[in-house]
Amino acid sequence: DHDRSLNKRGKEDAPRMGEWLNEQDQAPDAILCSTAKRARGTVKGLLDTLHFEGVPDFNADLYHADVDEYVRLLNEQPDKAARVMIVGHNPEMNAALYHFTGQHEHMATATVAVIGFDIPHWDALNMDSEGELIALWKPREIG
């Protein structure tokens, strides 16, 4: 499954989501991405249009990551990275969204959830942190 390619819909949706993030002024400062082929394909599609200045961090730990692992990886982010994008997998992405916001949403391919945390630094994020679901954009809903 790690080597499964991104499907046609995902290849079309990722660049559109990159454009949408630019329009919403939500381009990330850092991208953490699973090493799975379909996650890398999603990031490649995003980067075709997204205004992103850095280099994505492809991390094998994100392939089977749970919420604890997301917290650990976010704790390592520099303060200058105010907006960090995680490109991972379900059911873990759905679980993380619910854990931090209490919102049940399906994170289909190329769906973007913007979660805000009231923390001074990334290393202050923990499993008890409460986040606010600021926006949730699904490719089929943006046109």
Side-chain angles (χ1 to χ4, degrees):
D1 196 43
H2 186 272
D3 294 324
R4 183 167 44 100
S5 295
L6 189 61
N7 65 26
K8 182 179 184 236
R9 188 187 79 237
K11 289 176 184 175
E12 294 169 355
D13 288 346
R16 287 188 319 108
M17 292 307 288
E19 290 173 0
W20 181 257
L21 289 172
N22 294 333
E23 291 171 14
Q24 305 307 308
D25 196 28
Q26 291 292 322
D29 301 308
I31 297 175
L32 304 175
C33 181
S34 164
T35 54
K37 189 173 185 177
R38 63 191 176 282
R40 292 189 323 260
T42 298
V43 167
K44 180 184 181 302
L46 281 168
L47 294 179
D48 286 345
T49 58
L50 185 64
H51 300 151
F52 177 68
E53 301 297 320
V55 176
D57 177 5
F58 295 100
N59 190 315
D61 292 341
L62 281 169
Y63 183 61
H64 288 295
D66 57 13
V67 178
D68 286 315
E69 187 65 19
Y70 292 162
V71 169
R72 184 188 72 74
L73 292 169
L74 288 168
N75 286 159
E76 296 173 355
Q77 297 307 298
D79 291 337
K80 67 181 180 179
R83 199 174 291 129
V84 178
M85 175 183 279
I86 296 176
V87 181
H89 307 279
N90 273 326
E92 294 84 4
M93 296 298 290
N94 292 341
L97 179 66
Y98 178 74
H99 178 86
F100 288 118
T101 70
Q103 302 289 315
H104 285 285
E105 293 285 347
H106 177 62
M107 299 284 294
T109 300
T111 296
V112 175
V114 180
I115 302 172
F117 293 100
D118 186 17
I119 54 174
H121 310 283
W122 282 114
D123 63 3
L125 184 71
N126 62 59
M127 291 297 288
D128 295 325
S129 297
E130 292 183 16
E132 175 188 359
L133 182 58
I134 296 169
L136 183 89
W137 298 304
K138 297 180 179 185
R140 70 175 186 265
E141 295 172 355
I142 65 164

